[in-house]
Amino acid sequence: MTDLFADDRTMSADPARRSASPRKGTSPSAEPRLTPRTATALKASQRDILGLPVCDLDWADAFDFVARLAEMPIGQTTIAFLNADGANLMLNDPEYRDALERQIVLPDGQGVDVASQVIHGRSFPANLNGTDFVPALLTYMEAPKRVALIGAEWPVLLRAAEKLREHAPWHEFHAVSDAFFDRSESAAVMEKVRKLSPDILLVAMGSPLQEKWIDRHVAPGHVRLVISVSNLFDAIARETAKTPARVHHLRFAWLFRLIKEPRLGWYRYIVGYPRFLHHVARYKLRSLFSRQRGESA
């Protein structure tokens, strides 16, 4: 049986990875810090990907940053993940882009890494994909948290909650609703969340639906920290094989997924990925032309 959490336990338990101080090759500006405007908000270093600010934290700083957000006394923060497919959707869906601009976005996958190299001349410090990041984050958080879960099908949701309890037994995990409730019942679903009073809400509806639904229906009075987790519950409940760490390191995770799930991945990687690279190239060229016009003016 595949242990989906093995790498997460190792990563989160490693003192070097858990250090919040910047390491060699990491800009000091990437360290989470209090903003001058208010002592109830945290800010992280970001870089522009197709007009959207995306955090450029490494694993240790990302763990520390999100864990500190969960401890904030007031307010609410939503964490989302951007990959190449999501970027393609964002460029054709203004509502999705608007929602992402009100959320904290983490980089997910080789595509946004390539975009960063093209646009900024350097890759992201880490691929913070949600399937790896969220379980590892729960391991990193030592203080007990109450975690609410919305998404997937009921059997999958219940199984995922059970596996998460085994993974991090010091936290409470509560299945609130599957992903297939009537959207007119969104207020009733969030009332259940409010009564539960969780510290963290994980929402798995797939992008862009989950980000837009959170933006419309989840308010500060419901929960402190919200995270969009896409297919995380399915991956945990069905114990699908994780991408090996070495494959991630070599940046061939996309090829691994295409081989493992060709029916699901062929359009995303064979059609969507070249489209994404086209958008990145156009964005870079527009930036260069704008800079040249500005210098010649």
Side-chain angles (χ1 to χ4, degrees), residues 136-156:
L137 172 69
L138 293 170
T139 304
Y140 177 88
M141 292 177 168
E142 296 178 345
K145 301 294 182 187
R146 182 174 296 134
V147 184
L149 283 64
I150 296 176
E153 300 174 345
W154 261 116
V156 171

Side-chain angles (χ1 to χ4, degrees), residues 33-185:
R33 58 193 184 277
L34 291 175
T35 65
R37 289 188 304 170
T38 171
T40 61
L42 292 171
K43 183 179 179 181
S45 175
Q46 299 171 318
R47 63 184 67 163
D48 173 1
I49 300 297
L50 299 178
L52 181 72
V54 178
C55 292
D56 55 357
L57 304 173
D58 61 18
W59 282 98
D61 288 330
F63 286 147
D64 181 67
F65 177 54
V66 179
R68 290 168 66 188
L69 288 170
E71 299 290 343
M72 298 302 291
I74 61 173
Q76 182 187 77
T77 302
T78 299
I79 304 292
F81 298 86
L82 184 74
N83 57 24
D85 186 55
N88 284 338
L89 294 172
M90 172 189 74
L91 293 174
N92 294 295
D93 188 338
E95 184 183 358
Y96 180 36
R97 177 188 280 275
D98 288 346
L100 288 175
E101 288 177 347
R102 287 186 283 270
Q103 301 172 5
I104 289 177
V105 180
L106 301 181
D108 177 357
Q110 173 72 4
V112 291
D113 209 35
V114 170
S116 180
Q117 290 174 325
V118 171
I119 297 170
H120 301 284
R122 62 192 189 280
S123 60
F124 279 102
N127 171 15
L128 303 174
N129 69 91
T131 306
D132 292 332
F133 180 78
V134 174
L137 172 69
L138 293 170
T139 304
Y140 177 88
M141 292 177 168
E142 296 178 345
K145 301 294 182 187
R146 182 174 296 134
V147 184
L149 283 64
I150 296 176
E153 300 174 345
W154 261 116
V156 171
L157 180 65
L158 294 175
R159 177 62 174 160
E162 178 185 343
K163 295 295 292 182
L164 286 167
R165 291 185 195 104
E166 295 173 5
H167 167 63
W170 57 96
H171 300 311
E172 296 179 25
F173 295 93
H174 300 268
V176 174
S177 173
D178 63 20
F180 302 100
F181 60 89
D182 190 301
R183 294 301 177 251
S184 65
E185 299 175 357

